[in-house]
Amino acid sequence: MNTENVKVAVVYQAHPLPAKDGIVKPMKPGGYADSGADIAYALKKNNTPVITPADNPFIDKDLDWVFPDTDAGIRHAIDKGADCIWLNTTLYADHPVTTYLNRGISVVGQLPLLSELYDDKWTTNHLLKDNGLPIPEAILIHYKDYKQHPLQFPLPAVAKPIRGRGSDGVTLVHTQAEYKSVLDQLFQTDRYGTAVYLESYLPGDEITITVMPAGTYQIHGKNVAKRDPWCLPAVRRFNHQNGIAPYNGTVAVINNSVVLSDHEEASMQVQQLYQQCVEAARLVGLRAPIRIDCRQDQAGNYLLFDLNMKPNMTGAARPHRHDQDSLTALAARKIGWSFTDLLENMLVQRWHN
């Protein structure tokens, strides 16, 4: 694997993102420092050169392992010797890392401009729909319209932030009374901004698919060239709460998720879904893994209902986090990759301007 000479530093989200057109993306408590520390620890344990803020990081102290994604934080990492920045953070068009992309620094992560663009569910789902990919029916509810006009959309439906983060703020509403209660709460807290995304509820099975970028990977001990984006095995979600998969910070995904069997994966339906997810990944210009959540409608057809430009990347690397494998890490195990193998393969796909 071509990672021996790289010196990598992992950054986490230090501050909330700026609002975009009145829409706010909620910040994860800790800003992904936990998964960032998982990444840095696993790579370091595998003898990949890792630059850390602390010279002798404590295994259970997240901030010993990761730098803030500020200009000062990135500069600190580079001054300590890093030549690759692992963007374990939420990106936006003028993120501080863009300054360093023209200075010979490589990154693991998405292009900041595209990450901001496709973090918007309305923009992304219109793109997918315009290119013939199956998505649920949806509308935008602006605060002003919500106050002045009754709902003209069939229930049950799912209300969610336009720039969401996992299942945070996502709620299934069955009745007009529930709809009013949920949207009152979403708008009153001002946590998500001035508009809410409302989409048809899909009552069937839910699976999530990680799409990897084109590149060369080591699979079962062999270098495999992937000319196109490709999918890790799909993971089925179960034990939903009120129709919604619970936030992984509340229920560890290993307790409500399982990789599809070979037989399930080989079905024409899942294989077609893989092709659709690859096409979606191409459309959003992925440069690192993305995750696409899919669910069956009443007729049993899978629809793509949520595209995540930054999948959760926790891993059971440190002893006190043995139950913290992410959906992507679970999927990777099906092709023989440990969490560390997944990270090393991601690191090979690093890019620079």
Short mmCIF file of all heavy atoms in Angstrom, two decimals, residues 35-36 117 175 230 232 256 294 303 343:
data_model
loop_
_atom_site.label_atom_id
_atom_site.label_comp_id
_atom_site.label_asym_id
_atom_site.label_seq_id
_atom_site.Cartn_x
_atom_site.Cartn_y
_atom_site.Cartn_z
N SER A 35 -14.36 9.94 16.37
CA SER A 35 -14.00 9.10 15.23
C SER A 35 -12.65 9.50 14.66
O SER A 35 -11.89 8.65 14.17
CB SER A 35 -15.08 9.16 14.15
OG SER A 35 -15.36 10.49 13.76
N GLY A 36 -12.31 10.79 14.75
CA GLY A 36 -10.99 11.23 14.30
C GLY A 36 -9.89 10.57 15.11
O GLY A 36 -8.86 10.14 14.56
N LEU A 117 -22.30 21.90 -1.56
CA LEU A 117 -23.39 21.87 -2.53
C LEU A 117 -24.32 20.70 -2.28
O LEU A 117 -25.55 20.85 -2.25
CB LEU A 117 -22.81 21.81 -3.95
CG LEU A 117 -23.81 21.82 -5.11
CD1 LEU A 117 -24.61 23.12 -5.12
CD2 LEU A 117 -23.07 21.64 -6.43
N THR A 175 -50.09 12.59 11.40
CA THR A 175 -51.31 13.39 11.37
C THR A 175 -50.97 14.87 11.24
O THR A 175 -49.83 15.29 11.44
CB THR A 175 -52.10 13.19 12.67
OG1 THR A 175 -51.32 13.71 13.78
CG2 THR A 175 -52.41 11.72 12.92
N TRP A 230 -17.41 2.26 -6.72
CA TRP A 230 -17.90 0.90 -6.46
C TRP A 230 -18.45 0.83 -5.05
O TRP A 230 -18.16 1.66 -4.20
CB TRP A 230 -16.78 -0.13 -6.67
CG TRP A 230 -15.58 0.09 -5.80
CD1 TRP A 230 -14.63 1.08 -5.93
CD2 TRP A 230 -15.19 -0.67 -4.66
NE1 TRP A 230 -13.68 0.97 -4.95
CE2 TRP A 230 -13.98 -0.09 -4.16
CE3 TRP A 230 -15.71 -1.80 -4.02
CZ2 TRP A 230 -13.32 -0.60 -3.05
CZ3 TRP A 230 -15.06 -2.30 -2.90
CH2 TRP A 230 -13.88 -1.71 -2.43
N LEU A 232 -19.32 -0.99 -1.37
CA LEU A 232 -19.14 -1.99 -0.34
C LEU A 232 -20.47 -2.71 -0.14
O LEU A 232 -21.53 -2.19 -0.51
CB LEU A 232 -18.69 -1.34 0.97
CG LEU A 232 -17.28 -0.73 1.00
CD1 LEU A 232 -17.03 -0.07 2.36
CD2 LEU A 232 -16.21 -1.76 0.71
N ASN A 256 -28.16 -2.58 15.61
CA ASN A 256 -29.37 -2.51 14.79
C ASN A 256 -29.05 -2.60 13.29
O ASN A 256 -29.82 -2.11 12.47
CB ASN A 256 -30.17 -1.24 15.08
CG ASN A 256 -29.40 0.03 14.77
OD1 ASN A 256 -28.35 0.00 14.15
ND2 ASN A 256 -29.94 1.17 15.19
N CYS A 294 -31.09 3.85 1.59
CA CYS A 294 -32.12 3.45 0.64
C CYS A 294 -33.22 2.69 1.40
O CYS A 294 -32.93 1.99 2.37
CB CYS A 294 -31.54 2.53 -0.45
SG CYS A 294 -30.00 3.13 -1.20
N LEU A 303 -35.81 3.12 -3.00
CA LEU A 303 -35.57 4.50 -3.38
C LEU A 303 -34.36 5.02 -2.60
O LEU A 303 -34.12 4.59 -1.46
CB LEU A 303 -36.79 5.38 -3.09
CG LEU A 303 -37.96 5.34 -4.10
CD1 LEU A 303 -38.64 3.98 -4.13
CD2 LEU A 303 -38.99 6.42 -3.74
N LEU A 343 -9.16 2.10 6.48
CA LEU A 343 -8.48 3.40 6.56
C LEU A 343 -7.27 3.46 5.64
O LEU A 343 -7.05 4.46 4.95
CB LEU A 343 -8.05 3.67 8.00
CG LEU A 343 -9.17 3.73 9.05
CD1 LEU A 343 -8.56 3.93 10.44
CD2 LEU A 343 -10.18 4.82 8.74
#
